[in-house]
Amino acid sequence: MATNSDWAVEAHGLVKVFGENRAVDGVDLSVRAGTVYGVLGPNGAGKSTTISMLATLLRPDAGSATIFGHDVQREAQIVRQLIGVTAQFASVDEKLSATENLIIFSRLLGLSRSQARRKSAALLDEFGLTEAATRPLAKFSGGMRRRLDLAASLIAQPPLIFLDEPTTGLDPRTRSQMWDTIRRLVNEGSTVLLTTQYLEEADQLADRIAVIDTGRVVAEGTAEELKASVGESSLQLRLADGGDVDEARRVIRETLGVDAVISPEAGRITAPMADPDRVTDLFIRFRETGIRLSEMSVQKPTLDEVFLTLTGHGVDSDSVAAETIQKEEVHA
Ligand SMILES: Nc1ncnc2c1ncn2[C@@H]1O[C@H](COP(=O)(O)OP(=O)(O)OP(=O)(O)O)[C@@H](O)[C@H]1O
Ligand SMILES: [Mg+2]
């Protein structure tokens, strides 16, 4: 199959309208072959809908997209052979065991019986499911199902893999295994387009990131570029003497060149920290001016802060809480 294009994905002005709702409202994306591309956005931003259009599962209302140069609408059959899709929700058979599910998928994809068995065992091992391999899925926890679903999508290793929130609901250990797997896929020549709500995940994996919100790309760039746009991190200080607040603020402006935010809580100050190197100067100045600190810490920007800065609103905290509930693992 022809993959002789530098671009795994090129999308221009993609639009999908559901009734009154412009779920995807003119999205442009360019994903270079052989890279990991992260689509970062809050619930309802249009991430899954965008993937569905790129994966030929949903027809765009406007705009166009090509996968390795093949048009998703006119050449849908070719596109389907170039891609693998992991949907956000599992699509495996409840009554069968993990091994049986994977073997069926493998056989459907044309692997021989022995190849199917080998591939299934290797994937179950990679996703930490070996011990549970013979258990019917009905007895799997949410996190285990999620892992199996991902394993199933990786049997055929297509040139372009869409992973829709691959680590939502996974525990931290499994999440980092998943990251290793994604890196392996790319080392072996695949291109990965993943969606995520976690800034850290995009940061760890993605060569470039598009931040989408209400159906539009609101920022695009490397993780470094995006973080720089919200400030690398912030410095949180508590003064031993709350009466020093004004003086401390003045010293911060002089040494860091930024305006500190004074918290209503006595003596608490937050300052954006664009250049960590200059913080040493700040502490020296504090000592010289007799300002004493009782606490200090450095906070990385959270996903919330990135969204706040880029979109003017944060991630919907209710929906994040709902996602967190899925994390519970049942140890049957
Ligand atoms: N089949 C559909 N019919 C009607 N509306 C839909 C449909 N699919 C998605 N939507 C709406 O389109 C918008 C974008 O949804 P989408 O699933 O693409 O968001 P998302 O970024 O994947 O969110 P999440 O992080 O929650 O998965 C939402 O307002 C959603 O309610
Ligand atoms: Mg989604």
Side-chain angles (χ1 to χ4, degrees):
M1 205 53 54
T3 62
N4 53 348
S5 167
D6 283 347
W7 298 99
V9 178
E10 282 190 284
H12 300 287
L14 282 181
V15 172
K16 188 72 204 175
V17 183
F18 295 114
E20 299 278 273
N21 178 9
R22 295 181 73 83
V24 176
D25 194 10
V27 163
D28 298 332
L29 281 182
S30 300
V31 179
R32 198 174 274 285
T35 64
V36 179
Y37 196 92
V39 174
L40 188 66
N43 288 132
K47 303 182 296 293
S48 297
T49 307
T50 301
I51 285 196
S52 294
M53 289 190 280
L54 296 175
T56 78
L57 301 170
L58 207 58
R59 200 179 176 76
D61 293 319
S64 62
T66 57
I67 303 297
F68 295 109
H70 297 281
D71 189 276
V72 294
Q73 295 191 72
R74 289 194 309 275
E75 301 171 273
Q77 287 305 329
I78 297 175
V79 167
R80 282 178 198 141
Q81 293 175 52
L82 293 169
I83 62 172
V85 187
T86 303
Q88 196 168 357
F89 302 104
S91 53
V92 281
D93 191 318
E94 291 282 307
K95 296 181 290 294
L96 301 177
S97 73
T99 301
E100 287 164 333
N101 265 293
L102 290 188
I103 287 179
I104 287 170
F105 277 111
S106 306
R107 296 285 283 156
L108 286 171
L109 288 163
L111 271 65
S112 74
R113 212 176 284 277
S114 64
Q115 282 172 330
R117 212 171 290 130
R118 265 203 308 278
K119 189 80 199 173
S120 304
L123 283 167
L124 288 168
D125 181 49
E126 182 161 3
F127 283 90
L129 290 170
T130 303
E131 275 173 44
T134 55
R135 230 184 275 165
L137 290 202
K139 298 198 172 155
F140 267 36
S141 72
M144 290 160 80
R145 270 162 211 257
R146 187 88 197 103
R147 282 183 263 160
L148 182 65
D149 197 41
L150 291 164
S153 71
L154 299 180
I155 292 167
Q157 198 175 318
L160 174 61
I161 301 165
F162 293 107
L163 297 173
D164 196 357
E165 298 196 24
T167 65
T168 297
L170 297 185
D171 60 46
R173 186 178 57 91
T174 317
R175 173 170 297 172
S176 80
Q177 276 173 1
M178 187 62 207
W179 291 354
D180 290 342
T181 301
I182 292 169
R183 292 189 185 103
R184 170 179 72 76
L185 295 169
V186 174
N187 283 336
E188 292 172 4
S190 291
T191 305
V192 173
L193 189 156
L194 66 90
T195 71
T196 182
Q197 298 189 32
Y198 307 111
L199 179 64
E200 191 205 354
E201 179 157 293
D203 192 5
Q204 287 278 332
L205 290 172
D207 297 293
R208 294 189 76 80
I209 298 164
V211 179
I212 76 166
D213 185 43
T214 58
R216 292 167 191 263
V217 176
V218 295
E220 206 269 350
T222 64
E224 292 310 311
E225 288 164 354
L226 294 180
K227 279 192 293 184
S229 73
V230 283
E232 255 326 300
S233 37
S234 63
L235 191 62
Q236 320 260 339
L237 305 172
R238 188 200 285 272
L239 305 179
D241 180 354
D244 286 341
V245 157
D246 290 335
E247 175 72 356
R249 199 153 186 257
R250 193 182 59 75
V251 172
I252 290 171
R253 192 176 310 117
E254 276 175 20
T255 40
L256 301 185
V258 293
D259 279 324
V261 177
I262 314 287
S263 149
E265 207 183 324
R268 239 179 214 297
I269 297 184
T270 304
M273 200 169 71
D275 181 0
D277 216 32
R278 286 160 75 186
V279 173
T280 322
D281 300 340
L282 178 68
F283 290 146
I284 293 170
R285 284 296 310 282
F286 276 160
R287 166 138 313 164
E288 286 169 358
T289 39
I291 296 171
R292 286 178 37 250
L293 300 175
S294 62
E295 260 178 61
M296 89 100 194
S297 65
V298 172
Q299 309 270 308
K300 285 270 167 203
T302 62
L303 179 62
D304 231 13
E305 285 166 326
V306 172
F307 279 118
L308 207 58
T309 310
L310 294 173
T311 68
H313 65 82
V315 179
D316 182 346
S317 54
D318 287 346
S319 24
V320 172
E323 298 278 7
T324 316
I325 293 167
Q326 297 179 355
K327 284 190 186 164
E328 288 170 22
E329 281 250 324
V330 181
H331 295 283

